Amino acid sequence: MRVHQYVYFSMRSRDLPAHEMATRLGMEPDEISVLGSKRENPPMPRVHSWRVVCRDSGLTVDEQIHRIIDRLAPVADEIAALVRVIDESEGEGRTSTLQVVRYFNDDDGDQQHRLGWHLDRRALEFLRHTGAELDVDEYGDD
């Protein structure tokens, strides 16, 4: 089976723009979204977001997650503090998320011999420390 997959870590806020998140974290993102940049009414996207992404093909989900965590580990304390600030001012929500996206039977995907994946203690501790949720989206032909 051919699978196209990628992983990203995001932080979202209604009020705090991505460039301000980057300043507070001391780390530039790979991607950003700006509130209402695609459509003003109703605003799309609905929040500002700051993202670090791993789209390296040929890696397992586990390996992609580890690459994200390796990059974010030096600013994990800053992420945790900023998540608390955003949650306090905007209400607890999906401020930070580790997102796994997989497309099965994708012609542009890699051949996968092992479809399963897991989160080890290091990944679970990172999610706990940064207040992040795990969200997994999987798509494919019926």
Side-chain angles (χ1 to χ4, degrees), residues 13-23 33-35 48-50:
S13 171
R14 286 187 320 268
D15 303 323
L16 191 65
H19 68 85
E20 180 64 26
M21 291 181 210
T23 298
S33 293
V34 177
L35 173 74
H48 299 286
S49 70
W50 177 101

Side-chain angles (χ1 to χ4, degrees), residues 6 18 46 48 57 59 69 83 96-97 101 107 110 119 126 142:
Y6 61 96
R46 289 176 254 164
H48 299 286
S57 63
L59 299 179
I69 293 172
V83 166
S96 60
T97 302
V101 181
D107 291 337
D110 296 319
L119 296 175
F126 176 81
D142 292 334

Side-chain angles (χ1 to χ4, degrees), residues 66-137:
H66 280 277
R67 290 220 176 152
I68 295 288
I69 293 172
D70 288 345
R71 289 182 60 197
L72 294 175
V75 295
D77 291 340
E78 290 82 357
I79 291 170
L82 186 52
V83 166
R84 285 191 300 272
V85 167
I86 294 170
D87 283 350
E88 287 173 9
S89 69
E90 299 180 18
E92 286 191 34
R94 294 184 56 185
T95 302
S96 60
T97 302
L98 180 66
Q99 181 78 46
V100 176
V101 181
R102 303 176 88 192
Y103 296 90
F104 297 99
N105 295 321
D106 187 291
D107 291 337
D108 296 326
D110 296 319
Q111 186 70 33
Q112 294 289 319
H113 299 287
R114 184 175 68 103
L115 295 177
W117 55 279
H118 78 284
L119 296 175
D120 62 14
R121 288 182 192 173
R122 179 175 178 241
L124 291 170
E125 175 56 25
F126 176 81
L127 293 175
R128 187 205 60 78
H129 181 63
T130 60
E133 297 181 355
L134 173 65
D135 188 6
V136 178
D137 293 338

